[in-house]
């Protein structure tokens, strides 16, 4: 794989937000350690997660950013702002003193980008900002991340974000799973919890995570009750419901609805390390796209996970082999994470019976195929998680889903990025000599136009370079070329909006343009030329891969 | 987070290409100049090297002024040429960096300066200060280099100066200002004349503000001065983030006027420096060499149009000027001085005459090489050895203070030997008043040397007790340090007395100007608000006229009077609620209501309960509009346009304080205009009137129908004889339009309205706004007699009045035939209006009265505000502190949003403070706000 910064010695990894995100960073952290054995890795997380990070292997130091304090101070306004300002000032000084030589910001927030520019770390793998306050995303993999999570493009992406992150950090040698340390103390605490639970069943221990980060991603309690009843009553299962104290309002009605000694709530009874231990003791976890899902993956417990509403299995699915992922087939899904939903119809696409069936199947071993009669491919796609020959996580449909245009786009993009960004040899890399831009379907109609724009851009750059070199060319002429380039770029971006499946291409181009470096006009022109060349090349490859799928 | 557009990248890149090209051209030009080897040009050092360094010392002292310096400080010169000033700078700074576009200049400077560990030299290839790191310089200066460079180069250096300056640092530059601007793209180095506003805007875009302006370049050609060109040394301090070089350059050239051929021949860089050099030679008595240098200027520089001979004669005359011969003996000097005092300051004379009779022995005079020095009780009131030099330093430092620099009139406490007063008055039109507490010390000073010229320059002189006029008129008080020590107790009350007017600069109350729903005072409200802002107050206007439509619609919906009254009351109540909410969100300290503003008694009571000072400018006839009876008691201040019974009645109605404050004009709108023939045709007339058709006007003007008379305005009848006179269907005329009418008409009639009387109101007192507006337009007016008119204008000189219809007809006939006399009246009226009757003046008067009694209240309010706490808390970070102060001055609430409201991404490099604030802003936006919303939703 192409590496931007092969050697790193003092690494800052910024992962401010959630436990799940932190767990998803573990292959990257392990890879950084494996490839740079002497490197010192510091993780900057929100203070409330700092303790959790101590159970994550390969981290040398954890720094907590007290966003709670900042928010409380800001909420006071007035001199609270000065308090918050002073705290930020201290944090910047603290981080500067560490003299990091590389930073991977895994958070796409504006405030972390600004913070990192203030700290002034020279080499970056993720988002930061420049001195003018603009966002900067130097790494093409990080640009791909930004492209892929751009809502309109999500459905065309099939690369798990864990892989995109690790590639942003140039990591090749990575474990094909997430990592967390489970301590003997935690295990024994959980064993005693289980032994005092009073189960009458003797069958598999099934953990259920009913809560989710958003209401619309949370399967209804009645469905969970139906599911658990099947598991406990028909399959002799012992069921434990996990969750944080805040989730008691979701879990308690489920436990009450089940009315079974074999259904026990562990809400509020486990710390994060103890939850990891409990999930390790469990035989399987039934969940949505949640932090506990990633934790179960990290401790090696298989999961059956439902990706409801805005959750998208390809993006944040379980990062280990042989888990089961269910993605409802519905026109509005995956929906925009920033919008609420008053009628989550996608929940109806998955039945308690199906989950119960898949759970029991998976308890028996990896599930390679499911009858469409059990899981109707018109309603839900059931996937098995797996790793491809390059070590990238993937989802394989197992309920007889026919190949549709979305699948073809996903496959084509997957091959394009692995080959173009990763420098990897993909299966259908033997492309025809001619770019082959013939219209393949309606979604790709704009491809020829984009390529024409990319070629026109390269011509304009030649003209620009001539203007720059020739002292006698009046400034107005340079301005005219600039205007032409601007118009061209707007057209490329608009073509992306117009032809949705092509937007990943145009968005990558936009990111390339906004991340030009330096101030020397000739050098800037050369970088711009490269952006147009990349766009033209990628369009050609994409068309070829699409045809080959 | 915003993304950077390619256009911005390339635009910056292209600007850089242009900057580089320009740098090359400038380099070529400087090299050409240097290669001439002219005297004082830096080609080679002049024969008298000592003189060169001496001039460098002198000029650097001017540049340095009282700015901080020391061994730990860094100074940077833009355009150092052969390093004339660097040597002087190195005596004041630990590190001095000379930057020049020309490598040849740098090489010459290196030769001239020799080894000096404190001085570094660097060539600038891209018109920037590249060797200097960010926020590291205490002083960046340019003596004459920037003033001759093209705007793009100036912009580039300005922007980079902002980068290298510490938050506490300053940029000092000399520039030429004038109303006309000539910029030719093919010219490279020649002095540029900028419009002051344009430069100030450019400075703001460069992330700086002009903190002080001083006159400079005394040797500026009289020809240039006559063209309105003036030179100034500016002090710029960091204030905000810089925009792009392109934007700054654009601002410099934005306000350009027509190209003026006479200004194209401005002297070039060499010419200016040579003239200064010749002046120095002439002052030293080296007349021959001065002539040589000026001959060189005439022949070698591109200044053919300059009146070199004139300059030469002036310079030589100045050099050969013999100082006023000292009157021999103390007695003669005293007699001469006392004669002037007797003539000009009789009160002081009386006290001084007595003081001379009974000397206490506590005062003495000693001699120095620069003249006698006066001592009081063992302390020298001047410098004991160099009184002239020390006085010059004191004066220049005193005037570095913005308030002092901008004051047109200052009161100096302490006469000393008079040296500082001479310095203060030098080259300035500033009025200087002097108060000397010790009559004996002043007497001794008057006996020490010839001070007649100094005394004649003083606006006033008082002894023992300060002159009340001085306290009333002086805008700033300057206390000599020696007097502060001796007369501290006396000085303090003086300061207190000036507090009311100083409040204008010491206080930053948040002011709201509440306008009416409709009526003529709507525009008065706009003028008031604009004036408050112009005099530096944190004010915001609350224009309620948009709500008038709703008010009118109520009348369409409800027919009965009773029903309308209820509806209107409810409507005003709704507006009151909205205003309360607005003031909740954006609190104020002072509410200025215009007449008929929708401010109910309950609303005003609530405002006062919140500690807000309430004021009403009642610009109406108190007898015709009597609503003041119900609301006066809710105002701390009522300002009226009538005197006598009006003031007494409103006082009796319970108002806190009632003062007379007549109407005014806004010279930005009310001004003479050059109209095109078509406009003159449309708006002009031999006789015009603008105003509504009140009873007395209809009655009187009907008799003028035989004259070429146009009437403009609403509420006029459409019947004869008005159908021929009233213009444009009697529509309402906008202020912009009536200014055209005033300008286009030979005689403007101004008849104050009356709904009861015929013709001229015999007991009319107040002066209407039209009187001031016509005067400010430089338009001739015939106005009806009013009892208060004589206080505002000199009747018969500035204004012509009429007392009856017959009188009006006579005056029309008389003035119609005398255009010159009309013009003379109009010019005098305009001068008076601009001097005494602008809204700026009115607001100063209003606030002086308010601050005079509410100073402590407002100060306490300001001190206890969250902003004050924030300002105090942020003392460790000057930039944060400055942001807090600026936001407070804008009248913002103490919120993070207010602190970041002027941070614009992409408009230049964000400072660390700005980035930290933006960090907080994004945390608030993405974490705090959603969490709060979720909590509220739950």
């Amino acid at each position: 794989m192409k590496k931007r910064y092969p050697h790193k010695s003092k690494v800052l990894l910024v992962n401010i937000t959630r436990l799940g995100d932190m767990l998803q960073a573990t292959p990257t952290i392990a890879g950084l350690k494996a490839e740079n054995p002497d490197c010192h890795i510091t993780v900057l997380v929100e203070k409330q997660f700092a303790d959790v990070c101590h159970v994550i292997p390969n981290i040398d130091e954890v720094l907590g950013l007290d966003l709670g304090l900042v928010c409380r101070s800001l909420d006071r306004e007035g001199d609270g702002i000065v308090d918050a300002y002073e705290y930020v000032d201290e944090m910047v000084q603290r981080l500067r003193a560490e003299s990091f030589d590389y930073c991977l910001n895994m958070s796409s927030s504006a405030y972390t980008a600004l913070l990192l520019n203030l700290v002034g770390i020279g080499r970056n793998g993720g988002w930061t900002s420049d001195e003018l306050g603009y966002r900067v995303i130097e790494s093409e993999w990080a640009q791909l991340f930004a492209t892929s999570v751009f809502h309109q493009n999500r459905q065309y992406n099939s690369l798990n974000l864990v892989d995109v992150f690790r590639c942003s950090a140039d990591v090749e040698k990575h474990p094909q799973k997430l990592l967390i340390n489970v301590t003997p103390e935690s295990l024994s605490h959980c064993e005693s919890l289980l032994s005092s639970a009073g189960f009458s069943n003797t069958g598999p221990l099934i953990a259920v995570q009913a809560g989710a980060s958003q209401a619309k991603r949370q399967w209804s309690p009645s469905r969970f009750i139906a599911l658990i009843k099947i598991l406990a009553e028909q399959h002799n299962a012992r069921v434990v419901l996990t969750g944080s104290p805040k989730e008691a309002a979701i879990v308690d009605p489920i436990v009450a609805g089940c009315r079974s000694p074999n259904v026990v709530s562990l809400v509020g009874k486990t710390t994060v390390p103890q939850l990891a231990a409990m999930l390790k003791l469990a035989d399987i976890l039934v969940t949505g796209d949640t932090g506990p899902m990633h934790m179960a993956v990290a401790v090696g417990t298989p999961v059956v996970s439902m990706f409801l509403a805005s959750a998208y299995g390809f993006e944040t699915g379980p990062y280990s082999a042989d888990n089961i992922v269910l993605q409802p087939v519905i026109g509005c899904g995956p929906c925009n994470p920033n919008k609420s939903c008053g009628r989550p119809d996608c929940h109806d696409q998955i039945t308690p019976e199906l989950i119960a069936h898949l759970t029991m199947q998976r308890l028996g071993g990896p599930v390679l195929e499911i009858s469409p009669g059990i899981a109707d491919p018109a309603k839900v796609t059931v996937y098995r998680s797996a790793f491809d020959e390059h070590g990238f996580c993937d989802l394989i449909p197992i309920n007889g889903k026919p190949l549709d245009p979305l699948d073809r786009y996903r496959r084509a993009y997957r091959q394009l990025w692995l080959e173009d960004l990763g420098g990897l040899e993909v299966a259908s890399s033997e492309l025809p000599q001619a770019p082959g831009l013939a219209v393949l379907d309606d979604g790709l109609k704009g491809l020829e136009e984009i390529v024409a724009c990319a070629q026109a851009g390269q011509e304009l750059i030649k003209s620009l370079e001539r203007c720059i070199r020739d002292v006698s060319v009046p400034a107005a002429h340079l301005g005219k070329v600039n205007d032409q380039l601007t118009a061209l770029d707007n057209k490329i971006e608009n073509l992306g909006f117009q032809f949705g499946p092509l937007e990943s291409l145009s968005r990558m181009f936009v990111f390339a343009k906004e991340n030009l470096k330096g101030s020397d006009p000739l050098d800037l022109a050369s970088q711009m030329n490269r952006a147009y060349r990349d766009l033209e090349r990628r369009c050609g490859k994409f068309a070829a891969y699409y045809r080959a799928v | 987070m915003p993304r950077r557009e390619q256009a911005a990248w390339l635009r910056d890149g292209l600007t850089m290409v242009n900057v580089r090209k320009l740098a090359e051209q400038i380099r070529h030009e400087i090299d050409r100049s240097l290669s001439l080897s002219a005297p004082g040009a830096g080609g080679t050092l002049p024969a008298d090297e000592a003189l060169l360094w001496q001039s460098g010392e002198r000029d650097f002292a001017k540049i340095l002024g009282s700015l901080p310096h020391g061994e730990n400080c860094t100074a940077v010169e833009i355009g150092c040429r052969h390093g004339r000033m660097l040597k002087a700078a190195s005596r004041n700074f630990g590190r001095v960096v000379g930057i020049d576009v020309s490598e040849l200049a740098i090489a010459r400077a290196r030769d001239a300066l020799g080894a000096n560990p404190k001085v570094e030299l660097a060539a600038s290839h891209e018109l920037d200060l590249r060797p200097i790191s960010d926020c590291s310089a205490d002083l960046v200066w340019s003596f004459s280099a920037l003033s001759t460079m093209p705007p793009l180069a100036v912009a580039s250096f300005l922007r980079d100066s902002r980068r290298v300056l510490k938050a506490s640092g300053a940029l000092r530059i000399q520039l030429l200002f004038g109303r006309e601007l000539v910029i030719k793209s093919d010219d490279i180095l020649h002095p540029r004349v900028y419009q002051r506003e344009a430069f100030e805007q450019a400075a703001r875009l460069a992330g700086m503000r002009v903190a002080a302006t001083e006159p400079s370049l005394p040797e500026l050609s009289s020809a240039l001065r006559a063209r309105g060109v003036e030179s100034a040394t500016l002090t710029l301090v960091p204030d905000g983030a810089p925009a792009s070089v392109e934007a700054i350059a654009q601002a410099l050239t934005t306000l350009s006027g027509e190209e003026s051929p006479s200004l194209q021949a401005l002297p070039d860089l060499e010419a200016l420096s040579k003239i200064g050099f010749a002046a120095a030679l002439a002052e030293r008595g080296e007349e021959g060499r001065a002539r040589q240098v000026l001959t060189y200027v005439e022949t070698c520089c591109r200044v053919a149009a300059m009146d070199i001979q004139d300059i030469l004669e002036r310079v030589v005359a100045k050099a050969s000027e013999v100082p006023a011969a000292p009157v021999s003996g103390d007695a003669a000097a005293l007699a001469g001085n006392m004669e002037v005092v007797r003539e000009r300051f009789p009160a002081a004379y009386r006290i001084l005459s007595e003081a001379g009779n009974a000397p206490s022995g506590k005062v003495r005079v000693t001699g120095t090489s620069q003249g006698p020095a006066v001592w009081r009780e063992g302390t020298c009131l001047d410098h004991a050895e160099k009184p002239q030099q020390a006085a010059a330093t004191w004066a220049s430092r005193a005037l570095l203070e913005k308030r002092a620099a901008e004051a047109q009139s200052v009161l100096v406490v302490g006469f000393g030997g008079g040296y500082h007063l001479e310095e203060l008055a030098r080259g300035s039109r500033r009025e200087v008043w002097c108060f000397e507490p010790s009559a004996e010390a002043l007497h001794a000073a008057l006996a020490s040397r010839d001070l007649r010229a100094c005394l004649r320059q003083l606006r006033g002189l008082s002894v023992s007790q300060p002159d009340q006029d001085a306290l009333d008129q002086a805008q700033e008080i300057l206390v000599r340090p020696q007097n502060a020590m001796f007369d501290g107790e006396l000085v303090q009350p003086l300061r207190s007395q000036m507090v009311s007017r100083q409040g204008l600069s010491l206080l930053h109350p948040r002011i709201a100007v509440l306008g009416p729903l409709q009526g003529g005072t709507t525009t008065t409200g706009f003028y008031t608000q604009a004036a408050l802002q112009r005099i530096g107050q944190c004010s915001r206007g609350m224009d309620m006229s948009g709500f008038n439509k709703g008010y009118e619609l109520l009348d369409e919906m409800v027919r009965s009077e009773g029903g309308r009254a209820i509806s209107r009351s409810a409507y005003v109540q709704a507006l009151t609620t909205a205003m309360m909410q607005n003031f909740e969100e954006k609190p104020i300290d002072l509410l200025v209501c215009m007449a008929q503003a929708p401010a109910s008694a309950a609303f005003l009571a609530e405002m006062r309960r919140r500690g807000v000072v309430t004021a009403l400018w009642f610009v109406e006839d108190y007898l015709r509009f009597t609503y003041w009876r119900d609301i006066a008691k809710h105002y701390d201040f009522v300002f009226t346009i009538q005197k006598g019974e009006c003031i007494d009645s409103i006082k009796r109605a319970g108002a806190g304080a009632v003062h007379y404050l007549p109407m005014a004009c806004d010279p930005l709108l009310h001004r003479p205009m050059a109209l095109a023939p078509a406009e003159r045709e449309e708006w002009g007339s031999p006789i015009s009137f603008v105003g509504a058709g009140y009873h007395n006007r209809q009655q009187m003007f009907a008799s003028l129908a035989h004259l070429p008379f146009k009437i403009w305005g609403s509420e006029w009848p459409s019947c004869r004889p008005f159908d021929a006179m009233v213009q444009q269907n009697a529509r309402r005329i906008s202020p912009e339009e009536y200014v055209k009418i005033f300008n286009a008409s030979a005689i403007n009639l101004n008849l104050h309205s009356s709904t009861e009387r015929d013709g001229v109101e015999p007991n009319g007192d107040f002066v209407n706004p039209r009187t001031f507006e016509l005067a400010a337009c430089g338009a001739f007016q015939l106005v009806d007699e009013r009892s208060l008119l004589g206080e505002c204008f000199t009747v018969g000189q500035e204004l012509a009045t009429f007392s009856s219809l017959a009188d009006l007809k006579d005056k029309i006939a008389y003035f119609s035939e005398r255009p010159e006399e009309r013009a003379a009246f109009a010019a005098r009226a305009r001068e008076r209006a601009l001097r005494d009757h602008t809204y700026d003046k009115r607001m100063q008067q209003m606030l002086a009265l308010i601050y005079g009694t509410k100073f402590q209240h407002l100060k306490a309010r300001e001190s206890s505000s969250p902003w004050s706490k924030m300002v105090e808390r942020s003392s460790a970070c000057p930039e944060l502190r400055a942001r807090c102060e600026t936001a407070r001055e804008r009248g913002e609430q103490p919120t993070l949003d207010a602190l970041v409201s002027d941070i614009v991404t992409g408009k230049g490099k964000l400072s660390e403070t700005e980035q930290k604030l933006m960090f907080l802003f994004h945390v608030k936006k993405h974490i705090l706000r959603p969490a709060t919303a979720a909590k509220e939703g739950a």
Side-chain angles (χ1 to χ4, degrees), chain B residues 502-729:
Chain B
Q502 286 188 336
L504 291 173
S505 51
L506 291 180
L507 290 176
H508 306 91
R510 295 156 296 181
I511 305 172
V513 177
L514 182 62
L517 291 177
Q518 56 160 338
T521 50
T522 306
T523 45
T524 311
F526 297 154
Y527 301 143
T528 300
Q529 154 64 8
L532 283 169
Q533 289 203 329
R534 277 197 298 272
I535 64 172
Q537 298 295 300
C538 314
S539 70
R540 61 190 168 99
M542 298 197 67
D543 175 13
M544 307 300 285
S545 59
F547 293 104
N548 190 46
K549 187 68 190 164
Y551 202 74
E552 288 172 353
L553 286 172
L554 291 177
D555 286 0
E556 288 178 23
M557 290 182 74
V558 184
R559 293 286 174 190
S560 73
E561 274 308 311
R564 280 180 179 175
I566 293 169
S567 307
R568 285 172 183 171
S569 169
Y571 189 72
V572 169
Q573 185 54 44
L575 292 184
T576 302
T577 306
M579 286 190 294
M580 294 278 209
Q581 198 55 43
N582 179 280
F583 293 141
E584 190 74 45
E585 291 169 5
K586 218 168 175 181
I588 57 167
D589 303 305
L590 169 60
L591 174 68
V592 178
C593 295
M594 303 313 296
Q596 297 199 29
S600 64
F603 166 72
L604 291 166
E606 173 60 19
M607 286 288 107
R608 289 174 85 179
R609 195 190 62 74
R610 292 182 188 182
V612 173
V613 176
T614 54
L616 167 67
W617 195 7
F618 189 67
V619 292
E620 297 192 290
D621 184 345
Y622 85 108
L623 292 173
R624 193 187 296 174
F625 297 93
T626 56
Y627 60 89
W628 51 267
R629 291 182 207 279
D630 301 323
I631 55 166
K633 62 174 179 275
H634 297 293
Y635 284 105
D636 297 303
F637 296 90
V638 176
F639 297 92
T640 65
I641 55 173
Q642 288 157 294
K643 284 185 165 180
E645 184 53 30
C646 166
I647 290 179
D648 293 343
S649 300
I650 296 177
K651 268 185 187 165
R652 281 198 298 274
V658 187
H659 300 279
Y660 171 61
L661 191 72
M663 298 296 295
C665 60
D666 185 339
L668 289 179
L669 176 66
H670 308 122
R671 60 192 168 89
M673 289 177 81
L675 296 174
E679 283 181 310
R680 198 162 275 283
E681 177 68 26
E682 181 182 0
W683 302 106
S685 173
I687 309 165
S688 287
F689 175 79
V690 180
Y694 282 93
H695 164 77
N696 64 326
R697 291 171 176 167
Q698 291 186 26
Q699 187 273 333
M700 194 174 221
F701 293 162
S703 304
L704 304 179
H706 62 289
L707 296 173
F709 182 26
K710 284 184 183 174
I711 293 176
W712 306 82
S714 57
E715 296 167 49
W716 288 92
S718 54
C719 60
R720 271 179 295 187
F722 297 105
D723 56 346
M725 294 191 284
V726 176
Q727 306 294 306
Q728 300 192 1
N729 297 319

Side-chain angles (χ1 to χ4, degrees), chain A residues 77-78 81 83 85-86 89 96 111 117 131-132 134-135 471 473 482 489 493 513-514 516 518 520-521, chain B residues 2-4 6 9-10 13 17 21 873 894-896 906 908-910 912-913 915-916 919 924 927:
Chain A
E77 294 284 8
I81 299 168
D83 286 337
Y85 182 90
E86 285 174 351
D89 190 47
R96 277 183 187 160
Y111 59 87
N117 186 53
E131 56 191 18
L132 300 170
Y134 288 119
R135 72 178 172 202
V471 180
V473 173
N482 187 21
D489 292 356
E493 192 171 3
K513 273 309 212 36
E514 74 176 57
L516 304 178
D520 180 80
Chain B
R3 75 186 213 209
R4 186 168 193 161
Q6 167 262 306
W9 275 110
L10 192 52
V17 172
K21 286 180 184 177
R873 284 279 319 278
T895 62
L896 181 63
K909 186 177 173 181
L910 298 181
E912 274 204 15
T913 300
Q915 289 182 59
K916 285 169 191 163
F919 171 92
K924 185 176 175 180
I927 301 177

Side-chain angles (χ1 to χ4, degrees), chain B residues 26-64:
Chain B
I26 292 175
R27 193 171 305 119
H28 173 76
E29 190 100 343
I30 296 174
D31 289 352
R32 182 190 68 79
S33 164
L34 291 173
S35 63
L36 283 175
S37 300
T44 57
L45 286 176
D48 189 347
E49 189 180 324
L51 191 63
L52 180 85
W53 299 125
Q54 194 183 322
S55 74
E57 290 279 354
R58 181 196 64 208
D59 292 337
F60 186 73
K62 282 184 200 162
I63 287 288
L64 183 58

